[in-house]
Amino acid sequence: MAFIEIQNINKFYGEAQALFDVSASIEKGEFVTLLGPSGSGKTTLLKILAGFEPVSSGQILMDGRDISRLPPEKRNFGLVFQGYALFPHMTVFNNIAYPLRVRRMGKEEIATRVAAMLDLVQLSKFAHRKPSELSGGQQQRVALARALVFKPDLLLLDEPMSALDKKLRVDLQEELREIHQTLGTTFINVTHDQEEAMHMSDRIAVMNQGRIVQYATAFDLYRHPKTRFVADFIGKSNLIEGEVTKGGVDGEIIFSGHGIRVPMKSDFATAQATLMLRPEDISIDLQPAGQGQVSLAGEVVNSTYSGDRALYSVRVGDGLLISVYGAARTGIHANGAQVFLNFRAEDSLLLP
Ligand code: ADP
Ligand code: MG
């Protein structure tokens, strides 16, 4: 049994159901992220874990013990929530010391622990400032220190970086990962930002409309999404509607749709299907590829140059637009250029 077991949770707000049969297990020391669009149930699940919202049915086990009905203060979890602000009238030191004072810890021990946390979040010089005298990123680091100072069993974070600008967000992500590695505490983070989720997490639970639709590593979500929703939400992909029929050479199946045809070795059942093709798995060339690859003739309709590479939109088949990345060291294909999109069928994926 894992450290945290979330088992068959349903949650109703009045008549409206916010969570549907949600289950997941979290190992001790893991960094797990709940990722999903706004309204998918992430905050609801986090509040249930924290003890702020009761479950309608189902349970949460920690080390095999049912904690579903324990009040928040008995769970010993650290929280960095939106609206769970710092105490404005207290110094940074006193904000971080607060959870230890509540626990009636001795003065010297408090001083030692707070100093260690200030060091960890690199705010030792700011111990005597008030929150209003800190930047947004510094305030978030104080909130993090306050949530970790009492050595919680679990740290819950609800979009802790959403209010920060991009550069600061990336720095803080890096810092949060380091802190996680240093302390070995179990972290559950909520975000709607798939890049943030992929950079930081051991595993990601992708949520949609109150359900966990896939729970896996970033690699598996990206390379082996189970549904069209996950393929679309994680990274950039071409999703091509069509159908799968038999009749290829050597028993291959054939995907066809929008005037393109992709023979592939797969045991995917013949049916309506979506072909997922990542832009970086396609090369844009002036010649068709040799044996063993698929080549689609097309015309460049748009390009966006970003220095390290170019993103092209190429019209193929019956007018279908395919996104493809190309190296941009020696120049960029002009709009109207006649090109071939070459890829290996095994780099694409059929989705039901
Ligand atoms: P997320 O954090 O993924 O954006 P939430 O968990 O906040 O999603 O919300 C999930 C669903 O539950 C939404 O449809 C939202 O409107 C609804 N909801 C959230 N909190 C409440 C509440 N206190 N009362 C009624 N409905 C709520
Ligand atoms: Mg939320």
Side-chain angles (χ1 to χ4, degrees), residues 1-13:
M1 182 172 280
F3 176 50
I4 303 284
E5 293 279 353
I6 299 168
Q7 295 181 332
N8 309 102
I9 289 184
N10 288 288
K11 173 66 183 177
F12 288 86
Y13 290 114

Side-chain angles (χ1 to χ4, degrees), residues 20 25 55 76-77 176 201 210 223-224 241 245 261 284 287 289:
F20 297 80
S25 53
V55 296
N76 200 41
F77 294 168
L176 197 59
S201 320
R223 294 309 309 183
H224 310 291
E241 308 294 335
T245 53
R261 202 170 165 280
I284 178 166
Q287 273 94 39

Side-chain angles (χ1 to χ4, degrees), residues 21-51:
D21 198 32
V22 168
S23 296
S25 53
I26 294 145
E27 301 295 340
K28 199 158 207 144
E30 227 183 341
F31 193 134
V32 166
T33 293
L34 310 177
L35 171 69
S38 176
S40 56
K42 307 179 299 291
T43 295
T44 298
L45 182 53
L46 213 64
K47 281 184 176 163
I48 286 172
L49 283 161

Side-chain angles (χ1 to χ4, degrees), residues 44-84:
T44 298
L45 182 53
L46 213 64
K47 281 184 176 163
I48 286 172
L49 283 161
F52 294 147
E53 281 288 348
V55 296
S56 302
S57 65
Q59 55 185 356
I60 298 160
L61 307 182
M62 182 166 74
D63 278 332
R65 193 167 64 101
D66 186 356
I67 59 162
S68 318
R69 268 142 211 99
L70 275 186
E73 66 277 10
K74 296 246 166 87
R75 295 190 188 195
N76 200 41
F77 294 168
L79 310 174
V80 181
F81 275 28
Q82 294 152 335
Y84 215 67

Side-chain angles (χ1 to χ4, degrees), residues 94-327:
N94 286 332
N95 263 282
I96 301 174
Y98 183 82
L100 303 180
R101 295 202 170 114
V102 170
R103 285 166 175 78
R104 306 198 174 284
M105 193 175 276
K107 214 172 169 178
E108 272 177 36
E109 167 106 49
I110 289 179
T112 311
R113 288 247 207 141
V114 173
M117 286 316 299
L118 282 167
D119 189 39
L120 188 71
V121 298
Q122 298 170 35
L123 286 175
S124 300
K125 285 189 200 144
F126 300 93
H128 300 294
R129 290 213 188 164
K130 296 276 174 64
S132 61
E133 297 160 341
L134 299 175
S135 70
Q138 290 167 336
Q139 288 179 25
Q140 277 306 52
R141 274 145 59 199
V142 177
L144 192 60
R146 186 179 63 176
L148 286 166
V149 71
F150 57 93
K151 300 188 171 137
D153 292 312
L154 184 63
L155 180 71
L156 303 174
L157 305 131
D158 193 357
E159 312 232 16
M161 296 175 247
S162 58
L164 307 174
D165 63 52
K166 170 100 181 165
K167 165 87 173 74
L168 202 56
R169 213 157 60 218
V170 172
D171 289 349
L172 205 62
Q173 283 169 19
E174 199 58 43
E175 224 173 286
L176 197 59
R177 255 172 75 114
E178 276 170 26
I179 290 171
H180 174 254
Q181 273 160 13
T182 306
L183 300 180
T185 307
T186 312
F187 282 26
I188 302 180
N189 179 46
V190 160
T191 185
H192 62 269
D193 176 346
Q194 55 105 4
E195 255 179 63
E196 177 189 322
M198 290 181 85
H199 290 170
M200 294 204 297
S201 320
D202 295 315
R203 282 193 293 170
I204 301 167
V206 181
M207 296 189 69
N208 187 32
Q209 297 183 340
R211 292 181 169 84
I212 293 181
V213 290
Q214 194 168 351
Y215 182 32
T217 61
F219 181 85
D220 279 341
L221 290 176
Y222 191 82
R223 294 309 309 183
H224 310 291
K226 288 216 169 82
T227 61
R228 209 196 135 101
F229 174 81
V230 176
D232 199 24
F233 196 71
I234 309 281
K236 196 170 174 55
S237 60
N238 296 290
L239 296 170
I240 306 162
E241 308 294 335
E243 58 176 356
V244 173
T245 53
K246 285 194 174 132
V249 192
D250 298 334
E252 285 176 332
I253 58 168
I254 296 170
F255 171 86
S256 47
H258 294 279
I260 71 166
R261 202 170 165 280
V262 182
M264 51 206 307
K265 288 190 177 58
S266 164
D267 50 13
F268 195 87
T270 59
Q272 296 297 108
T274 299
L275 185 77
M276 180 189 88
L277 198 50
R278 297 285 189 191
E280 69 274 21
D281 289 331
I282 308 169
S283 74
I284 178 166
D285 300 316
L286 296 174
Q287 273 94 39
Q291 281 266 310
Q293 289 200 34
V294 181
S295 290
L296 306 173
E299 179 183 321
V300 173
V301 298
N302 193 20
S303 66
T304 323
Y305 177 59
S306 55
D308 55 341
R309 62 187 178 181
L311 174 64
Y312 295 99
S313 183
V314 176
R315 187 182 289 122
V316 299
D318 67 358
L320 178 71
L321 293 177
I322 300 270
S323 297
V324 46
Y325 290 121

